[in-house]
Amino acid sequence: MVVNISNTSLILNTSTTPTNLAEVSKLRGVALGFELVTCFVGVIACCIAHYCLKTCEVIQSGMKIQLQILFTADFVICLFLLPGHAAIEYRILSDVYKTDKTSATVFMYLYIVATQSERVTVMLIAIYRMMAVCFPLKYRYWSQKKLVVLVNLIACSPVVLLRIINHFTKDDSGIEAFDPNNYFIDRLTQFGFVSAPTVITLIVYLVMALFMLFKKGSISPPDSCERAIRIFILTSTLFEVPDIIIHAAKVTLKEPAYIIIHVIYRIHFVVDPILFVGLNARYRQMVYQCCSSIPVQVALTVTQGEVTL
């Protein structure tokens, strides 16, 4: 009797596992469709953001370089890397990932390098914004073109270096190689170049918000800057903090929570350029003038603080 029960339970377990994988595969298919739409919107938003950067002559040159780096990374991710990465995940969960693994591995490495460098760049932009608000004199020095380029190179070079080390030390013999929870160096890069920059960015924006709050009644940034900072805090919390939580909980690639949270997380590639344009009156005016044949009659006043942020 005991043997029969064990055999029955074993049969049930083996019969339910494929069903669960099939359901996860369907969920990944829906997520893939949503992410393709997201990427399409992201490409358009990045093009508009680049147009605003190229047209506007008021923005400080160092910040302009950083934003160009950010939106170029977002553009490449949305146009090429994210759709391919999502398609590879779908193939893995559909059990059709059997051929051309070398090219897929290289492709995913490029995606990881691009996304982690993008997160580091977002962190640096937040730090520079805080310097512009809290320490204007230091900001003028550190926002010189050569220093900005050097800071970005120093901050992003470990991402490439660790990925090269990972390529020669990691066993890519199975699908498990794509799960960051299975290898120490993948966990290190995940928390070091995605989670940590996200936390630092959030802390920096909170410091800026507190600084503006205590500066009320004296010389302080305009209300539009305060509104922008609050929105940045909200979007960072909604789109990026859940990703930190699932990686800390070691949720695997084949769990529905992993798919859903990553769909939410990847929305920030679209949100960043949209917020950049939407929260600045000058850039909104540029877009309106570009898209409409009717001249803008209302003069928009833009302070130097808003242009900087």
Side-chain angles (χ1 to χ4, degrees), residues 20-21 23-25 27-28 93 179 181 246 249-262:
N20 292 334
L21 290 177
E23 293 175 356
V24 172
S25 178
L27 179 61
R28 177 65 260 185
L93 295 177
D179 191 342
N181 295 317
I246 65 166
K250 296 184 178 181
V251 178
T252 62
L253 180 68
K254 295 184 178 181
E255 294 185 38
Y258 184 97
I259 298 173
I260 295 172
I261 296 300
H262 273 76

Side-chain angles (χ1 to χ4, degrees), residues 86-104:
I88 290 173
E89 285 185 348
Y90 176 74
R91 291 176 62 194
I92 291 174
L93 295 177
S94 300
D95 291 331
V96 296
Y97 187 75
K98 297 178 181 179
T99 60
D100 199 20
K101 184 171 181 179
T102 301
S103 60

Side-chain angles (χ1 to χ4, degrees), residues 135-277:
F135 311 103
L137 296 179
K138 292 183 179 180
Y139 172 76
R140 292 176 186 175
Y141 173 76
W142 285 99
S143 60
Q144 299 177 58
K145 289 184 179 180
K146 293 182 179 179
L147 283 176
V148 168
V149 174
L150 181 62
V151 168
N152 278 269
L153 287 175
I154 293 174
C156 295
S157 57
V159 176
V160 180
L161 179 61
L162 285 175
R163 188 50 47 185
I164 293 174
I165 296 174
N166 191 24
H167 176 71
F168 290 103
T169 59
K170 183 167 127 179
D171 179 16
D172 289 332
S173 59
I175 292 174
E176 292 78 11
F178 296 106
D179 191 342
N181 295 317
N182 291 327
Y183 294 91
F184 170 76
I185 196 165
D186 281 343
R187 293 196 298 270
L188 176 64
T189 56
Q190 172 66 34
F191 288 103
F193 299 107
V194 177
S195 300
T198 298
V199 173
I200 293 173
T201 301
L202 190 56
I203 292 174
V204 168
Y205 281 133
L206 288 172
V207 170
M208 290 177 63
L210 292 175
F211 180 85
M212 294 177 182
L213 179 64
F214 287 114
K215 281 290 183 178
K216 281 289 187 180
S218 60
I219 300 176
S220 61
D223 291 338
S224 58
C225 295
E226 297 184 20
R227 182 175 62 254
I229 296 305
R230 290 196 295 268
I231 293 176
F232 283 130
I233 293 173
L234 178 62
T235 55
S236 296
T237 302
L238 290 178
F239 297 135
E240 299 168 28
V241 171
D243 180 72
I244 298 175
I245 295 174
I246 65 166
H247 283 289
K250 296 184 178 181
V251 178
T252 62
L253 180 68
K254 295 184 178 181
E255 294 185 38
Y258 184 97
I259 298 173
I260 295 172
I261 296 300
H262 273 76
V263 169
I264 297 173
Y265 169 76
R266 289 162 180 167
I267 295 176
H268 82 264
F269 295 124
V270 181
V271 171
D272 288 344
I274 290 177
L275 290 181
F276 168 73
V277 176

